[in-house]
Amino acid sequence: MNNLKLVPNIYCLKEVRVTARKKRLSPEIIIARALRNIKKNYPTVPFSYVSYYRDYQKDSSNYLNLNEAIIQTLDKGFAYSSDSNRYRLLDFKKNLDFLRKNIIPYYDLPETDHSDVSFKKIPFAIVGDQYGNELFILLVHDAIRNFDKRSFSFVESLTQDYIRNHRFYSPDGIYDGSTLLYKIDFTAKRQITGDTILAKGAIFIQLDDYSIHKLEYSASFFKFRKKEQGDFQY
């Protein structure tokens, strides 16, 4: 048997770095995670807020019948449907600085100039019973609070229809103060909107908890003309 005597020595190794390529998430995956986390990221306990409400009519460039109000919303939390919210009218006034007209019979009487104007009507449009007045109709357009029920066209139910009704573009990183957000632009699919409506917007999602900070949405009509070659120019 041979006895081997080893002399210890210390060696200093260079820094070892372990890296991995992070898989880039698709916009659909990011939005799907945000939708799943709505109840987690929004209050599930009662809360309230005060808001400013205004309604008016517009004749060319002139504003008519401007009404203003201060309204308190008593929200039971996102664990409950928005139909269960309660509201308080804290203040209301008719702004007499603007021209006022009696509009109750204005669009309904056959002898009025506006009774047959087609662009003031939306064919086949249906406004369901929102269990209240015009304020409730406006509130149903809050697609995030009404995430599990039908809101406005093409978004429909945010958790069920929003992703399948739209095409999404690669996320852009933007800052809201010191908070980094995904800004994801999108357009409604043509097979959903038809050839005369353009619907588009952007959704803003925080990176660490997938909370939705804002949803922007706009819709407009557009005209197109047919070119000689047979394709369409918008």
Side-chain angles (χ1 to χ4, degrees):
M1 180 180 294
N2 297 322
N3 294 323
L4 301 176
K5 186 176 181 180
L6 300 179
V7 178
N9 203 347
I10 298 176
Y11 293 91
C12 182
L13 300 177
K14 294 182 179 180
E15 178 183 2
V16 177
R17 294 183 179 183
V18 178
T19 60
R21 175 174 292 181
K22 186 176 182 180
K23 183 179 180 181
R24 186 178 181 87
L25 297 178
S26 69
E28 290 82 3
I29 291 178
I30 296 171
I31 295 172
R33 291 182 180 181
L35 297 180
R36 287 198 302 267
N37 287 333
I38 283 181
K39 287 187 177 181
K40 176 182 177 181
N41 288 322
Y42 285 91
T44 57
V45 297
F47 64 97
S48 69
Y49 57 91
V50 175
S51 55
Y52 169 73
Y53 169 82
R54 177 180 67 183
D55 70 72
Y56 56 84
Q57 289 76 44
K58 192 173 182 181
D59 184 5
S60 297
S61 60
N62 299 316
Y63 290 90
L64 312 174
N65 304 320
L66 193 144
N67 302 316
E68 299 171 290
I70 302 296
I71 298 171
Q72 182 182 17
T73 299
L74 305 172
D75 198 311
K76 295 178 66 175
F78 276 58
Y80 296 87
S81 171
S82 61
D83 295 341
S84 63
N85 292 348
R86 299 176 62 188
Y87 306 91
R88 291 175 178 169
L89 183 62
L90 302 181
D91 191 19
F92 174 82
K93 73 172 184 177
K94 298 178 179 180
N95 194 323
L96 301 180
D97 293 336
F98 292 80
L99 180 66
R100 303 195 67 84
K101 289 185 178 181
N102 180 13
I103 64 170
I104 295 176
Y106 196 61
Y107 295 112
D108 298 329
L109 297 180
E111 62 270 17
T112 60
D113 296 335
H114 296 77
S115 58
D116 296 324
V117 178
S118 60
F119 68 82
K120 291 184 177 294
K121 301 176 183 178
I122 303 177
F124 311 111
I126 298 175
V127 178
D129 185 2
Q130 304 300 327
Y131 312 104
N133 53 23
E134 291 89 344
L135 174 64
F136 281 37
I137 296 175
L138 291 175
L139 291 173
V140 81
H141 290 78
D142 184 351
I144 298 176
R145 180 61 184 90
N146 300 291
F147 61 92
D148 57 352
K149 61 184 295 188
R150 187 175 183 270
S151 56
F152 49 85
S153 295
F154 314 126
V155 170
E156 308 296 347
S157 170
L158 189 66
T159 53
Q160 298 180 18
D161 306 307
Y162 173 56
I163 292 180
R164 68 185 180 189
N165 286 353
H166 297 84
R167 289 190 175 91
F168 300 93
Y169 301 93
S170 297
D172 292 323
I174 65 169
Y175 279 93
D176 180 10
S178 60
T179 303
L180 182 60
L181 304 176
Y182 284 126
K183 177 179 182 288
I184 303 175
D185 295 313
F186 61 85
T187 57
K189 293 180 179 178
R190 184 62 54 82
Q191 60 265 35
I192 301 293
T193 63
D195 291 330
T196 59
I197 298 177
L198 175 63
K200 61 181 181 179
I203 188 169
F204 299 78
I205 299 173
Q206 188 170 333
L207 303 184
D208 54 356
D209 59 0
Y210 293 94
S211 59
I212 302 174
H213 281 231
K214 183 168 60 172
L215 173 65
E216 295 178 345
Y217 204 88
S218 65
S220 58
F221 288 98
F222 61 94
K223 297 180 180 180
F224 61 92
R225 61 184 178 88
K226 191 173 183 180
K227 299 176 67 176
E228 294 182 357
Q229 294 86 347
D231 57 348
F232 291 88
Q233 180 175 351
Y234 294 90

